[in-house]
Amino acid sequence: MKWTKFYLPDAYSPTMEQLVYFHDHTMSIITSITILICILLNSLLWNKLIDLNMNEHQMIETWWTILPTIVLFLIAIPSLKILYSMEELINPTISIKSMGHQWYWSYEYSDKFCKELESYMKYNKKNDFRLLEVDNKMKAPFLTQIRMIFSSSDVLHSWTIPCLGIKMDAVPGRINQSSLMVKKPG
């Protein structure tokens, strides 16, 4: 992935695949509405005919109230399905605790074996992604349901992996959790 790419990153999890499909669905609705409005404005600007019977036409007023409601439902229902599926935890095989500190993250694998590591951010090199490269990367098992547990020791932190479609805030004194499944290695 390059920084100049004007599209969503490649999906590496089922959640991100659903988010990409929802983005495409919403953009097709927005594009069709924009094209329709442009056509109507164009015909309004170039049309010199005036119909006096259109001054009080109840049917058109009814339809231009009902159609936006239908469009909002076409956008809201898939959005709510994705929102609820992102919060579901389906029998996690492994739990990874992620603790945010002032300048680094610490990870703890505690289900089957106890392993801890600290991950510090690397400073800019020529081929590194700015503010994304770290010295010890968190390793997540492939095709395994994972429960991520987030907290912080000092201030608010935001933990995110864009290609997995996961973003969670780490708040001091509070535990947040999220579900994660990696579909592609890398």
Side-chain angles (χ1 to χ4, degrees):
M1 182 177 146
K2 296 182 181 179
W3 289 107
T4 57
K5 191 175 178 183
F6 290 113
Y7 192 65
L8 298 171
D10 295 335
Y12 282 79
S13 71
T15 303
M16 188 61 187
E17 287 175 357
Q18 290 177 355
L19 289 172
V20 169
Y21 293 145
F22 176 69
H23 172 267
D24 295 342
H25 167 72
T26 307
M27 287 305 292
S28 65
I29 291 174
I30 290 172
T31 304
S32 61
I33 289 172
T34 305
I35 290 171
L36 178 67
I37 296 298
C38 287
I39 290 171
L40 291 175
L41 282 174
N42 190 24
S43 69
L44 185 67
L45 287 174
W46 298 109
N47 191 358
K48 303 291 185 200
L49 302 175
I50 297 174
D51 188 6
L52 296 177
N53 294 327
M54 291 290 283
N55 286 340
E56 291 191 28
H57 200 271
Q58 303 291 323
M59 188 58 72
I60 287 181
E61 290 178 5
T62 304
W63 279 108
W64 74 41
T65 304
I66 291 174
L67 283 177
T69 307
I70 293 171
V71 169
L72 287 176
F73 274 110
L74 286 174
I75 294 173
I77 290 178
S79 172
L80 289 173
K81 282 183 180 178
I82 293 172
L83 187 64
Y84 282 114
S85 73
M86 287 173 71
E87 295 296 323
E88 262 184 61
L89 283 173
I90 309 163
N91 278 340
T93 306
I94 189 170
S95 294
I96 302 173
K97 181 180 174 186
S98 178
M99 180 71 76
H101 301 281
Q102 183 115 18
W103 296 105
Y104 64 98
W105 287 90
S106 62
Y107 299 101
E108 180 181 326
Y109 301 81
S110 60
D111 282 343
K112 294 184 173 61
F113 55 91
C114 191
K115 181 181 177 185
E116 293 183 19
L117 61 103
E118 293 179 346
S119 180
Y120 289 90
M121 185 172 45
K122 282 185 185 177
Y123 292 104
N124 289 341
K125 290 184 182 174
K126 190 167 189 160
N127 295 328
D128 288 348
F129 286 121
R130 185 174 178 269
L131 301 177
L132 289 177
E133 291 294 328
V134 293
D135 58 355
N136 290 328
K137 296 181 180 181
M138 182 196 84
K139 309 260 187 314
F142 177 63
L143 288 177
T144 304
Q145 194 68 34
I146 304 166
R147 174 180 38 213
M148 294 290 301
I149 301 170
F150 303 98
S151 189
S152 173
S153 64
D154 47 13
V155 295
L156 295 175
H157 296 278
S158 183
W159 192 89
T160 182
I161 301 178
C163 61
L164 294 178
I166 184 171
K167 180 174 176 33
M168 188 62 66
D169 292 328
V171 181
R174 180 176 175 191
I175 293 178
N176 290 333
Q177 68 178 0
S178 183
S179 158
L180 174 66
M181 185 170 105
V182 182
K183 285 182 70 176
K184 298 178 185 176

